[in-house]
Amino acid sequence: MRYQIAGELAEPIACHCTQCARTSGNFAAMAACRSADLKLLTSSTLRWYRSSDNVERGFCSRCGGNLFWRATSSGEIFISAGTLDPPTGLHLSKHIFVGSKSDFYDLTDGLPQEQEG
């Protein structure tokens, strides 16, 4: 699975919701771009899973890697920051859904925290 982003990426957010934790093993760091700016170079292993009524998650069917998150009614897509080739030049901007985060870690980086998304 290979992709390219033609436009700009937003600074990543850390999502601590239960679904992200279950699909990534911890919180998910995701950077958004316009859906039109994402170009799939090779996608034979890309699979989409509808994780709720209006959300789809893209993953690699070969390795199980968490790649993308998108709301079905949105014009943007979130890219798993760990799948970007470094150096990214990006910096985590905030934490969302911290009310759902697990108890085995603390948030001590001083970034803004939102109880919901």
Side-chain angles (χ1 to χ4, degrees):
M1 173 72 220
R2 298 286 301 163
Y3 65 85
Q4 186 175 54
I5 300 164
E8 290 188 30
L9 278 171
E11 294 294 333
I13 58 171
C15 182
H16 300 270
C17 78
T18 319
Q19 285 186 3
C20 281
R22 289 188 176 139
T23 60
S24 69
N26 201 356
F27 63 87
M30 309 289 279
C33 71
R34 291 179 344 121
S35 295
D37 290 342
L38 175 67
K39 179 180 179 184
L40 300 176
L41 303 176
T42 59
S43 61
S44 63
T45 62
L46 177 62
R47 299 294 180 270
W48 289 97
Y49 171 71
R50 185 171 296 262
S51 58
S52 62
D53 288 341
N54 61 348
V55 170
E56 296 178 322
R57 294 170 184 274
F59 67 96
C60 176
S61 65
R62 180 176 301 139
C63 71
N66 184 18
L67 300 168
F68 308 117
W69 181 100
R70 68 180 177 197
T72 55
S73 61
S74 175
E76 67 180 358
I77 189 164
F78 286 78
I79 316 293
S80 292
T83 67
L84 298 168
D85 292 333
T88 66
L90 299 173
H91 300 280
L92 199 61
S93 62
K94 67 179 176 178
H95 299 273
I96 62 172
F97 290 102
V98 297
S100 303
K101 81 172 209 51
S102 190
D103 61 352
F104 65 86
Y105 64 95
D106 296 316
L107 300 177
T108 60
D109 57 15
L111 292 174
Q113 298 181 18
E114 298 177 12
Q115 291 298 303
E116 299 296 322

